[in-house]
């Protein structure tokens, strides 16, 4: 699959683009056909003018285990894995069976799911939370968690950390802007109301000065929202900082919310809370627990979760829902297929304990160590970082400092597209390992990385 190299970078790009287009011609045709009708940010997520002719998503046809096949019949080793969803690979039989059994019974949305109580109890058992509610997406779960915290505390402002991602609703779509040595929150994109930042205190993750800022604003904060390990910075795993943050928020009476969309049930059966030995007041989950079905989970202490339904009460006595309630709804919440898939996933995780995650974490460590050794020995400007079974490629600081940002971006994008051309599907600059990935898969990935790096080096894109 190696392309014959040309001396000129321009000639190399022309030849690579030609080969790539030939290999994925149907995916390109699909993208061309649907563009007038489908507004799709995926189609332009890696857009650049020099690579315009290969700026289109691969269209999948079918999937199984660790592989995806596209509409041109090409086989890919999938490391996107549903952006972290598919802990057990694609179409695992035990999840497929659960969905098929529920499908045979029907998709009745107006009544309570028969298994929803069991799913909630399993989540409480694994996460050590007291009560659970379900939404359709991670964004909805985080949005609800913040609303619950605001309801109970009767405050509006929240604190979150620069570099974290908490879904795509306005309330968390802020970024940090440095002014006079301080971080100020500004809207992340057009269309987000400027006054949204008035309710957000944005801080530097892992910096002890951030704890002082929280202490200084403790009387106005409804919650501190944290992504325990940011997917944009996997090497930052500040256990001590998190534990100090927990103590501070607990003393100040500020709810601590863990956004565990990625880490939940992947790093440990109890998620990042168990991994870092930190008990949050509220945690949000999704991805892994849904087994491929859309799901969001809000779990937390009863004092916060009671704001959904008024709290506990019993039949046959004078009890009634006494807690102050906020608004929560959704037609597809507790969808029967999602509940069936979640029960299958949670029962599998409970039955195997920590062994699933331990094996995946170890395999990822070995995989990352092999690649990093290759990069160091070859003097290549790459490094791989990881957290559990999540990994990501980063470009060395020395290369970034020594080169124009366009040069760095071109190298990164060509590295991505070279891997894609060789049959490797990545989530941008990284990916996720699943129980379906084999040693042969990892060796294939390692060889593809080496071949891509060698080719780009010979073409002059990598020094």
């Amino acid at each position: 699959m190696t392309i014959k190299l040309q001396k000129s970078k321009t000639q190399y790009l022309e030849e690579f683009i030609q080969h790539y287009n030939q290999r994925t011609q149907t995916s390109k045709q699909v993208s061309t056909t649907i563009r007038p009708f489908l507004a799709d940010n995926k189609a332009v997520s890696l857009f650049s003018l020099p690579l315009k002719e290969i700026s289109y998503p691969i269209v999948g046809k079918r999937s199984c285990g660790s592989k995806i096949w596209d509409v041109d019949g090409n086989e890919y080793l999938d490391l996107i894995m549903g952006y972290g969803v598919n802990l057990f690979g694609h179409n695992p039989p035990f999840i497929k069976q659960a969905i098929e059994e529920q499908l045979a019974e029907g998709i009745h949305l107006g009544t309570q799911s028969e298994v929803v109580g069991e799913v909630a109890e399993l989540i409480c058992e694994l996460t050590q939370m007291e009560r659970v509610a379900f939404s359709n997406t991670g964004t909805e779960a985080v949005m609800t968690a913040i609303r619950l915290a605001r309801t109970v505390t009767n405050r509006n402002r929240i604190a979150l950390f620069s570099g974290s991602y908490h879904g795509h609703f306005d309330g968390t779509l802020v970024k940090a802007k440095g002014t006079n040595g301080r971080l100020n929150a500004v809207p992340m994109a057009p269309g987000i109301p400027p006054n949204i930042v008035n309710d957000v205190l944005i801080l530097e993750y892992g910096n002890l000065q951030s704890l002082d800022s929280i202490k200084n604003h403790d009387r106005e904060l409804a919650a501190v929202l944290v992504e325990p390990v940011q997917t944009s910075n996997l090497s930052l795993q500040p256990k001590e900082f998190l534990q100090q943050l927990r103590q501070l928020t607990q003393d100040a009476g500020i709810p601590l919310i863990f956004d565990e969309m990625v880490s939940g049930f992947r790093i440990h059966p109890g998620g990042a809370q168990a991994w870092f030995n930190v008990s949050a007041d509220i945690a949000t989950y999704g991805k892994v627990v849904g087994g491929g079905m859309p799901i969001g989970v809000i779990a937390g202490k009863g004092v916060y979760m009671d704001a959904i339904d008024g709290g506990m009460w019993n039949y046959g006595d004078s009890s009634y829902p006494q807690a102050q309630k906020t608004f929560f709804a959704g037609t597809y919440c507790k969808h029967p297929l999602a509940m069936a898939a979640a029960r299958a996933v949670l029962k599998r995780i409970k039955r195997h304990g920590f062994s699933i995650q331990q094996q995946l974490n170890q395999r990822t460590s070995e995989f990352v160590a092999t690649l990093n050794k290759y990069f160091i020995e070859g003097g290549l400007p790459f490094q791989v970082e990881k957290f559990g079974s999540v990994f990501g490629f980063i470009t060395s600081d020395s290369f970034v400092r020594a080169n124009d940002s366009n040069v760095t971006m071109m190298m990164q994008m060509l590295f991505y597209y070279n891997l894609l051309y060789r049959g490797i599907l990545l989530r941008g600059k990284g990916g996720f390992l699943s129980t379906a990935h084999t040693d042969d898969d990892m060796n294939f990935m390692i060889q593809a990385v080496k071949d891509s790096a060698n080719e780009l080096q010979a073409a002059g894109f990598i020094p």
Side-chain angles (χ1 to χ4, degrees):
M1 200 177 292
T2 301
I3 298 171
K4 182 180 179 182
L5 300 177
Q6 304 289 335
K7 293 181 180 180
S8 164
K9 289 184 179 180
T10 301
Q11 289 177 314
Y12 171 79
L13 279 179
E14 290 175 353
E15 189 171 350
F16 177 78
I17 290 170
Q18 180 185 2
H19 282 75
Y20 187 93
N21 286 158
Q22 289 173 348
R23 177 177 166 82
T24 59
Q25 57 184 323
T26 308
S27 285
K28 186 173 185 177
Q29 183 57 51
V30 169
S31 187
T32 301
T33 302
I34 67 177
R35 187 172 299 127
F37 313 104
L38 179 66
D40 183 17
N41 65 338
K42 184 183 288 291
V44 294
S45 60
L46 289 173
F47 184 89
S48 73
L49 282 175
L51 300 177
K52 175 182 176 181
E53 293 303 319
I54 57 175
S55 295
Y56 50 88
I58 297 298
V59 179
K61 180 76 171 180
R62 63 186 180 92
S63 60
C64 183
S66 62
K67 306 290 176 44
I68 285 181
W69 289 262
D70 70 10
V71 287
D72 285 293
N74 300 309
E75 179 183 289
Y76 297 85
L77 174 63
D78 183 24
L79 291 159
I80 302 175
M81 280 291 145
Y83 302 97
V85 167
N86 300 315
L87 183 69
F88 302 100
H90 290 286
N91 211 17
F94 74 97
I95 296 177
K96 181 179 179 180
Q97 180 182 351
I99 293 174
E100 287 178 341
E101 288 175 356
Q102 179 58 53
L103 196 58
E105 296 291 334
I107 308 176
H108 28 275
L109 298 175
T111 57
Q112 189 75 281
S113 166
E114 186 178 4
V115 303
V116 66
E118 184 180 357
V119 175
E121 186 175 356
L122 283 166
I123 292 173
C124 288
E125 180 180 350
L126 290 170
T127 66
Q128 299 301 297
M129 289 299 194
E130 294 174 359
R131 304 192 74 198
V132 170
F134 296 99
S135 63
N136 304 299
T137 67
T139 293
E140 291 177 28
V142 173
M143 182 172 59
T144 301
I146 294 172
R147 188 183 302 152
L148 296 178
R150 284 172 169 159
T151 299
V152 174
T153 62
N154 198 29
R155 302 168 186 163
N156 291 327
R157 202 172 191 194
I158 62 169
L160 51 78
F161 296 94
S162 177
S164 61
Y165 176 68
H166 301 291
H168 61 89
F169 78 103
D170 289 355
T172 59
L173 283 179
V174 299
K175 63 181 179 180
K177 182 179 181 180
T179 306
N180 298 325
R182 297 180 57 186
L183 294 182
N184 295 307
V186 297
M188 185 179 291
I192 299 168
N195 63 357
I196 204 79
V197 303
N198 296 332
D199 289 329
V200 178
L201 173 66
I202 194 162
L203 303 167
E204 184 179 351
Y205 192 42
N207 189 330
L208 294 180
Q209 292 181 359
S210 297
L211 300 180
D212 293 333
S213 295
I214 292 171
K215 189 178 298 183
N216 293 334
H217 294 84
D218 59 357
R219 295 182 180 276
E220 61 188 270
L221 289 176
V224 176
L225 175 61
V226 60
E227 185 183 9
V229 175
Q230 299 174 343
T231 51
S232 62
N233 190 4
L234 294 172
S235 60
L236 180 57
Q237 302 171 26
K239 180 177 181 178
E240 184 177 352
F241 176 84
L242 283 170
Q243 292 176 341
Q244 291 178 348
L245 176 64
R246 171 68 288 190
Q247 189 62 55
L248 169 61
T249 53
Q250 189 168 297
D251 293 343
I254 305 170
L256 177 62
I257 303 174
F258 263 27
D259 182 344
E260 295 223 44
M261 287 303 142
V262 174
S263 58
F265 307 104
R266 174 174 285 276
I267 185 64
H268 187 282
Q273 290 188 89
W275 185 261
F276 291 114
N277 192 26
V278 174
S279 296
D281 296 296
I282 308 173
T284 57
Y285 304 95
K287 295 187 184 293
V288 167
V289 69
M293 298 299 297
I295 195 171
V297 178
I298 313 100
K301 295 179 179 178
V303 65
Y304 300 104
M305 301 304 299
D306 290 353
I308 287 182
D309 61 1
M312 275 294 297
W313 54 277
N314 298 300
Y315 296 108
D317 58 24
S318 60
S319 62
Y320 63 95
Q322 297 186 52
Q324 181 183 12
K325 292 184 290 184
T326 185
F327 189 83
F328 176 72
T331 299
Y332 294 104
C333 295
K334 301 177 290 184
H335 192 286
L337 295 183
M339 291 298 101
R343 180 175 67 164
V345 168
L346 292 165
K347 288 175 70 174
R348 176 64 62 99
I349 290 174
K350 178 182 177 181
R351 183 162 62 250
H352 289 276
F354 189 27
S355 63
I356 293 172
Q357 290 83 359
Q358 278 182 315
Q359 292 172 11
L360 270 180
N361 295 347
Q362 180 61 34
R363 168 166 280 179
T364 309
S365 295
E366 294 169 356
F367 165 67
V368 167
T370 299
L371 285 179
N372 281 335
K373 181 182 178 183
Y374 166 72
F375 291 145
I376 291 171
E377 291 177 347
L380 297 168
F382 295 116
Q383 185 181 349
V384 191
E385 54 184 5
K386 72 171 186 67
F387 175 59
S389 52
V390 189
F391 69 92
F393 291 90
I394 57 175
T395 305
S396 66
D397 290 338
S398 58
F399 183 90
V400 173
R401 287 194 301 267
N403 291 276
D404 178 85
S405 60
N406 291 327
V407 172
T408 300
M409 182 175 294
M410 177 59 71
M411 181 191 72
Q412 293 170 340
M413 294 181 69
L414 278 174
F415 185 61
Y416 167 84
Y417 277 116
N418 263 267
L419 287 173
L420 193 55
Y421 180 78
R422 288 176 165 80
I424 303 293
L425 281 169
L426 286 178
R427 173 192 61 87
K429 298 177 183 178
F432 303 84
L433 260 61
S434 75
T435 60
H437 287 104
T438 65
D439 290 340
D440 287 343
D441 288 335
M442 294 299 92
N443 291 333
F444 179 76
M445 170 66 176
I446 290 167
Q447 189 59 52
V449 168
K450 292 180 178 180
D451 291 342
S452 296
N454 289 339
E455 184 166 297
L456 291 175
Q457 197 168 35
F461 289 97
I462 297 178

